[in-house]
Amino acid sequence: THVKPILEARCVMCHNRKALPGRMSLENKKLAFAPAPTGMPIVPGHPERSLVLANIKNGHAHANAMPPVGERITEDELAVLTKWIKDGAVWPEGRAG
């Protein structure tokens, strides 16, 4: 109820198979937990090793900054994603996920 709206509003519009073929996709659980060319997008229990968070924390000047331009994810949204990953990154099956 907290994580999905953030991913939908801030991430999935670009991080999907159509927009970025062969790159990190957050369209569904299987793709979100699959290794990307640059590493693991989400490492349950390990926010410090999760590329999603590392790239969000990078500033706009960094090559891997997310988003590369435009409005940044808020500190509150970042805290929600960090806690979710730290707590095991539970991703429901089916429509809820």
Side-chain angles (χ1 to χ4, degrees):
T1 60
H2 296 92
V3 173
K4 185 177 179 180
I6 296 170
L7 294 178
E8 285 179 334
R10 303 291 201 146
C11 308
V12 177
M13 68 199 85
C14 295
H15 287 282
N16 64 71
R17 291 172 291 177
K18 189 173 184 178
L20 296 172
R23 304 280 308 264
M24 177 177 28
S25 176
L26 299 171
E27 289 175 76
N28 60 49
K29 182 178 183 176
K30 181 180 176 185
L31 295 171
F33 290 93
T38 54
M40 292 296 292
I42 299 169
V43 182
H46 297 280
E48 74 285 355
R49 293 180 16 214
S50 299
L51 289 178
V52 166
L53 296 181
N55 291 340
I56 289 170
K57 290 177 183 178
N58 287 329
H60 278 310
H62 194 280
N64 292 328
M66 288 299 126
V69 296
E71 189 178 331
R72 305 287 299 169
I73 283 182
T74 68
E75 289 296 321
D76 289 343
E77 291 170 327
L78 179 59
V80 168
L81 294 176
T82 301
K83 182 177 180 343
W84 171 65
I85 292 173
K86 185 176 183 177
D87 291 346
V90 174
W91 190 304
E93 298 293 332
R95 242 183 134 72

